[in-house]
Amino acid sequence: MDIDFPLILLVLTAATGVVALLDKVWLAPQRQARAQQLIADKAHPEDIHKAETESFVVEQAKSFFPVLAIVFVLRSFIAEPFQIPSGSMEPGLIQGDFILVSKFHYGLRMPVFGNTLIPTGEPARGDVMVFFPPDDPRYFIKRVIGLPGDHIVYRNRQLTINGEAVPTQELGGEPSWRPQKIMAQEQFGDTGAAVQWMIGRSPVTGGPVVWAGPEGEWTVPDGHFFTMGDNRGNSADSRAWGMVPDRNIVGKAVAVWMHWDSWGDIPSFSRNGWIE
């Protein structure tokens, strides 16, 4: 079961903030008034101290609220770390990469609800974007291929957008006597993308076959985006589950800041760098 951390953080920040505000405007003055009355009545010092003491809930709320508020603002509007969960973005991003996602490249968005509060930009072709797929609570990371209104065709490992073929330079297979992948470089304006296709065996002939992934034609509706993984034959993306609504966008992946395969391994920083 996936945990909706943004929602939990929003609720905790709001709850502790309400308690802290309630204490400032109502509970604290009441405590002070009771203490002053006890002082006037010459009550025992211990009773006066108890009257002045905050409750456990108030004390904890006031302690946690500033920390939660800072984390909430940074995570919701500035940047957020993510881990690459699969090989669908190989060869550029591999499983175990930890990436930094800019939350303001595509506008400041309301956490949980996803509506844009302040527009600052729009996704561009070639961007590596983090988002929620339609009807799926998990984060996905893919490359933006189609913008609203675009007509996309993908056949024989060739992308065509609005009737123009995306410049693609095949680089051959891996340097071995039996290549397992076909590598290529695609160009989206000023953005280059390293992509790959896996080579397997045909279940019919037993010979080598390239796994190109689902092929077809798509038209991107308004307010939506068409995405694909760079590992074209091994990626669940818009070819399978459709377009990404604008409200589902989380942010733009901008950098790799650590690689960590598993708890039993030592984190590595050799892959650190900007994401293209």
Side-chain angles (χ1 to χ4, degrees), residues 14 27 39-40 53 108 136 147 157 191 215 225 256 263 268 276:
L27 298 178
I39 292 173
T53 302
L108 299 182
D136 195 325
L147 307 179
R157 306 202 306 273
T191 302
E215 299 181 335
F225 298 88
V256 176
W263 289 103
S268 168
E276 296 184 356

Side-chain angles (χ1 to χ4, degrees), residues 3-63:
I3 299 175
D4 193 340
F5 184 74
L7 178 60
I8 294 174
L9 182 60
L10 175 62
V11 171
L12 288 176
T13 305
T16 55
V18 167
V19 172
L21 179 61
L22 185 63
D23 180 71
K24 183 176 182 63
V25 301
W26 184 45
L27 298 178
Q30 282 194 336
R31 289 196 304 271
Q32 187 175 8
R34 285 198 301 270
Q36 290 298 325
Q37 182 62 49
L38 290 173
I39 292 173
D41 295 339
K42 301 185 184 305
H44 193 279
E46 185 175 340
D47 294 332
I48 297 173
H49 176 70
K50 288 182 179 179
E52 293 175 330
T53 302
E54 301 169 345
S55 69
F56 177 80
V57 172
V58 170
E59 181 184 6
Q60 295 301 309
K62 291 174 67 175
S63 298

Side-chain angles (χ1 to χ4, degrees), residues 2 11 20 29 38 41 43 76 80 99 110 120 129 135-136 161 214 217 224 230 241 248 268:
D2 293 317
V11 171
L38 290 173
D41 295 339
S76 300
E80 183 177 359
I99 63 172
M110 183 65 186
T120 60
M129 187 171 73
D135 303 317
D136 195 325
I161 303 176
E217 298 186 28
H224 291 73
D230 290 344
W241 37 250
N248 287 21
S268 168

Side-chain angles (χ1 to χ4, degrees), residues 115-269:
N115 54 301
T116 301
L117 302 175
I118 303 176
T120 60
E122 294 288 338
R125 289 192 197 94
D127 284 359
V128 178
M129 187 171 73
V130 175
F131 56 88
F132 295 103
D135 303 317
D136 195 325
R138 298 173 298 169
Y139 291 110
F140 273 48
I141 177 167
K142 307 291 178 185
R143 192 174 297 276
V144 177
I145 303 298
L147 307 179
D150 282 350
H151 181 68
I152 310 295
V153 178
Y154 176 65
R155 288 197 178 92
N156 299 320
R157 306 202 306 273
Q158 176 63 59
L159 266 174
T160 302
I161 303 176
N162 298 328
E164 294 187 11
V166 173
T168 304
Q169 179 184 4
E170 288 203 2
L171 307 176
E174 292 179 314
S176 67
W177 68 275
R178 181 183 291 177
Q180 301 298 311
K181 305 173 185 176
I182 294 178
M183 317 291 287
Q185 182 78 9
E186 293 179 340
Q187 197 68 32
F188 300 92
D190 296 331
T191 302
V195 299
Q196 71 179 33
W197 296 271
M198 305 298 291
I199 299 176
R201 288 193 174 276
S202 169
V204 178
T205 65
V209 60
V210 178
W211 296 340
E215 299 181 335
E217 298 186 28
W218 304 268
T219 298
V220 186
D222 289 341
H224 291 73
F225 298 88
F226 185 90
T227 66
M228 293 177 69
D230 290 344
N231 193 355
R232 293 291 163 75
N234 186 27
S235 172
D237 48 40
S238 289
R239 294 171 294 175
W241 37 250
M243 312 298 163
V244 179
D246 179 80
R247 67 179 179 275
N248 287 21
I249 294 175
V250 174
K252 179 180 179 180
V254 294
V256 176
W257 60 275
M258 184 177 69
H259 180 83
W260 194 7
D261 284 320
S262 65
W263 289 103
D265 297 313
I266 298 175
S268 168
F269 301 95

